[in-house]
Amino acid sequence: MLDIVQVTVLATAGFLAGAVNGVAGGGSLISFPALLAMGYSPVAANVTSALATLPGYLGGLVGYRDELPAVRPPVRRLAPVSVAGAACGSLILLSAPAEQFTSVVPYLVLASVVTLAAQDVVARRLDRTRGAAGGRGLLAGQFVVSVYGGYFAAGLGVMMLAVLGTFMSENLHRLNALKSALSLVVGLVSALCFSAFGPVEWIPVAVMSLAGLAGGRSGVVLARRVPPRHLRRLIVGFGLVLSIALFLR
């Protein structure tokens, strides 16, 4: 059982993770290290974080309900590759040795941070070819990021927002709505796999899920008032500190 301090830490991390996912993605970069700090193994922290952040995506999706009609066509198009990718990533995680996952975690966190930091630069370079690249390139990119999301929960929203922003000419609010819907798809597939076969810590999941649901809705409100670039910089800075700490472990 958890004491009051641990519950408070998990609830706070869950709320912040849900809020960050509602804004620009990267909330698992808060929930994952919080679980690590409480002594859970990297694999247990990863699968627990994946389930715990799921309601946050739902809360964010509700917050973007005005944008949902506009993103339904790309959701229907990208959902099948998201399901396939998430299933592949989850199976790789559950079948591979735990030591292997532990060794690649710092690199995965760093990759998600670098991708978010470079999103605007890459998008500007590909701006003239977005119409063509948004076909097979978008499908391939979404599959790869879904595999990543099924394998490693932390940074899924960051990676997905970067891919969508690179290949699609939409405003940030619509991209966030699309990201929330597809992240929910990936999260649901991963949750089914992890619930059946993964080392899930269910008490932290319950605490962080309830807080994350409220955080996701709050994050959307914040996203409409605060310039996204400031929030991206904050997430990038936090992610860099986290990746350095993981490399030094």
Side-chain angles (χ1 to χ4, degrees), residues 114-138:
V114 170
T115 302
L116 181 63
Q119 176 186 335
D120 290 341
V121 175
V122 174
R124 283 197 298 269
R125 287 182 177 275
L126 295 180
D127 186 61
R128 295 180 181 178
T129 60
R130 275 181 173 177
R136 294 179 181 178
L138 177 59

Side-chain angles (χ1 to χ4, degrees), residues 73-121:
V75 167
R76 287 194 292 266
R77 182 186 178 202
L78 295 172
V81 296
S82 300
V83 170
C88 289
S90 299
L91 292 176
I92 292 172
L93 173 67
L94 295 173
S95 61
E99 296 77 13
Q100 182 184 83
F101 175 77
T102 302
S103 65
V104 301
V105 163
Y107 299 97
L108 293 172
V109 173
L110 184 60
S112 68
V113 171
V114 170
T115 302
L116 181 63
Q119 176 186 335
D120 290 341
V121 175

Side-chain angles (χ1 to χ4, degrees), residues 29-214:
L29 292 174
I30 297 174
S31 57
F32 177 70
L35 290 162
L36 285 179
M38 294 189 65
Y40 296 107
S41 70
V43 173
N46 182 43
V47 299
T48 301
S49 176
L51 270 70
T53 53
L54 197 56
Y57 289 124
L58 180 60
L61 196 59
V62 171
Y64 283 113
R65 58 185 176 275
D66 292 339
E67 284 78 16
L68 288 181
V71 301
R72 280 174 185 165
V75 167
R76 287 194 292 266
R77 182 186 178 202
L78 295 172
V81 296
S82 300
V83 170
C88 289
S90 299
L91 292 176
I92 292 172
L93 173 67
L94 295 173
S95 61
E99 296 77 13
Q100 182 184 83
F101 175 77
T102 302
S103 65
V104 301
V105 163
Y107 299 97
L108 293 172
V109 173
L110 184 60
S112 68
V113 171
V114 170
T115 302
L116 181 63
Q119 176 186 335
D120 290 341
V121 175
V122 174
R124 283 197 298 269
R125 287 182 177 275
L126 295 180
D127 186 61
R128 295 180 181 178
T129 60
R130 275 181 173 177
R136 294 179 181 178
L138 177 59
L139 290 174
Q142 181 62 23
F143 177 79
V144 171
V145 81
S146 298
V147 173
Y148 171 93
Y151 182 78
F152 186 50
L156 168 62
V158 173
M159 299 288 281
M160 190 176 295
L161 192 61
V163 168
L164 296 175
T166 298
F167 290 111
M168 298 182 68
S169 298
E170 294 285 358
N171 63 57
L172 186 62
H173 294 312
R174 286 188 178 180
L175 288 177
N176 264 321
L178 180 58
K179 178 263 299 179
S180 295
L182 295 174
S183 295
L184 186 61
V185 171
V186 172
L188 285 171
V189 173
S190 300
L192 290 174
C193 295
F194 296 155
S195 297
F197 306 108
V200 179
E201 299 291 341
W202 289 105
I203 295 179
V205 167
V207 174
M208 299 178 83
S209 295
L210 292 174
L213 188 60

